[in-house]
């Protein structure tokens, strides 16, 4: 069974070594582990650092296309490489690589199609009180829309089976996290979660320039997902 570890990057020359050096070299039930980097329009030496670290598959975008597109291209590249499982992790070293072995086990045992690392973000100490509240209620709303009981809907630390990758089609450029959960729920894919801790932040979030921008984009993302997967309910409500 082949595992591809996918790392979307945007100007991550400083943190990428921390991420790659912590990735597992062997996992029970996995015969081959391969690392790939999606350089989403970096202007620093991210690609050069990835090469120095021994990454052989690097997909480089000429300009920044967004996390959703980077994830989609990473998933396509993983399938082309013959992956049975793909793990997606962030290049800012938020997610400890030691959890990857545990993350893929439900897929190896055919107990899940997607496994998500549950950070319990409403309890993370380095998040502000307002952000913890936002995470709690945002996750509650996302679960209602997706029709899923996933506790941490916006966690980017995830494992996907080959079947899940073949069935999921990312439709947004901003972020894939809600889109893929909604699709998985609607298509009958089994989602599980494992508890994880996170590393201290190495930089400010690039996905969230400020809280109001994040709220606006996330709201539009949720509306888009709902329109696509529940068109009858959406347009009957407007009607």
């Amino acid at each position: 069974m082949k595992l591809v570890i996918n790392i979307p990057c945007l100007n991550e020359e400083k943190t990428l070594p921390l991420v790659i050096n912590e990735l597992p070299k062997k996992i029970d039930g996995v015969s081959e582990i391969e690392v790939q980097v999606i350089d989403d329009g970096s202007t620093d030496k991210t690609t050069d650092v990835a090469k120095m670290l021994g990454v052989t598959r690097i997909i480089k975008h000429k300009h920044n296309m967004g996390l959703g597109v980077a994830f989609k291209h990473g998933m396509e590249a993983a399938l082309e490489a013959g992956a049975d499982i793909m793990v997606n992790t962030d290049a800012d070293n938020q997610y400890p690589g030691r959890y990857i072995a545990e993350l893929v086990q439900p897929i190896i045992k055919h107990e899940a199609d997607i496994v998500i690392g549950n950070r319990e973000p409403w309890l993370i100490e380095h998040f502000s009180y307002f952000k913890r509240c936002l995470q709690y209620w945002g996750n509650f709303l996302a679960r209602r829309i997706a029709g899923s009981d996933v506790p941490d809907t916006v966690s980017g630390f995830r494992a996907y089976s080959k079947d899940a990758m073949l069935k999921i089609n990312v439709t947004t450029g901003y972020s894939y996290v809600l889109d893929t959960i909604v699709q998985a729920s609607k298509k009958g894919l089994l989602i599980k979660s494992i508890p994880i801790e996170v590393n201290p932040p190495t930089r400010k979030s690039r996905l969230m320039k400020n809280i109001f921008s994040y709220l606006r984009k996330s709201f539009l993302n949720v509306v888009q997902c709902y329109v696509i997967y529940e068109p009858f309910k959406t347009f009957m409500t407007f009607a």
Side-chain angles (χ1 to χ4, degrees):
M1 186 169 282
K2 181 173 182 177
L3 166 65
V4 170
I5 301 174
N6 184 62
I7 311 175
C9 296
L10 176 61
N11 297 328
E12 303 288 6
E13 63 178 6
K14 294 180 180 179
T15 56
L16 189 58
L18 300 174
V19 176
I20 291 180
N21 289 334
E22 198 181 356
L23 297 179
K25 303 297 188 292
K26 293 182 179 179
I27 295 175
D28 290 342
V30 174
S31 57
E32 183 180 357
I33 300 175
E34 189 171 11
V35 179
Q36 68 180 24
V37 163
I38 313 299
D39 186 343
D40 191 25
S42 296
T43 56
D44 66 356
K45 297 180 180 179
T46 292
T47 292
D48 294 334
V49 169
K51 291 177 180 178
M52 288 173 53
L53 293 167
V55 179
T56 55
R57 184 179 303 107
I58 301 171
I59 294 90
K60 185 171 177 60
H61 296 162
K62 292 182 179 179
H63 57 86
N64 180 245
M65 301 180 72
L67 182 59
V69 176
F71 173 79
K72 181 178 181 178
H73 289 172
M75 193 164 58
E76 291 171 349
L79 286 169
E80 289 175 2
D84 298 292
I85 306 172
M86 184 187 82
V87 165
N88 190 82
T89 189
D90 285 357
D92 63 359
N93 201 40
Q94 177 183 179
Y95 307 113
R98 67 180 182 272
Y99 289 109
I100 290 178
E102 186 179 352
L103 195 71
V104 301
Q105 285 306 312
I107 295 178
I108 292 172
K109 296 175 181 178
H110 304 288
E111 296 173 351
D113 300 296
I114 300 173
V115 186
I116 299 176
N118 175 19
R119 305 164 297 164
E120 293 186 304
W122 47 90
L123 300 177
I124 296 176
E125 292 183 357
H126 62 257
F127 281 7
S128 67
Y129 175 75
F130 180 66
K131 188 173 181 179
R132 292 199 299 269
C133 290
L134 184 66
Q135 288 280 353
Y136 180 85
W137 290 108
N139 274 290
F140 174 78
L141 177 61
R143 286 194 295 270
R144 292 293 300 272
I145 291 174
S148 172
D149 60 356
V150 174
D152 188 1
T153 57
V154 295
S155 171
F157 189 52
R158 303 180 175 197
Y160 294 82
S161 69
K162 183 177 182 179
D163 187 47
M165 289 189 283
L166 289 170
K167 289 181 178 178
I168 287 173
N169 177 38
V170 179
T171 61
T172 175
Y174 174 61
S175 177
Y176 62 91
V177 289
L178 294 177
D179 190 9
T180 52
I181 289 178
V182 173
Q183 288 192 51
S185 178
K186 300 301 181 185
K187 295 178 181 180
L189 297 174
L190 183 59
I191 308 174
K192 285 196 172 184
S193 296
I194 65 164
I196 65 168
E197 296 178 347
V198 294
N199 292 320
T202 55
R203 57 165 175 76
K204 291 183 178 180
S205 173
R206 295 198 181 105
L207 192 65
M208 184 174 66
K209 294 181 180 179
N210 59 67
I211 197 68
F212 299 105
S213 172
Y214 177 74
L215 285 172
R216 180 180 63 83
K217 290 182 178 180
S218 296
F219 175 75
L220 292 174
N221 188 199
V222 168
V223 170
Q224 177 181 324
C225 290
Y226 202 76
V227 170
I228 291 173
Y229 301 109
E230 293 287 357
F232 182 77
K233 290 182 181 179
T234 301
F235 292 110
M236 280 299 294
T237 299
F238 281 114

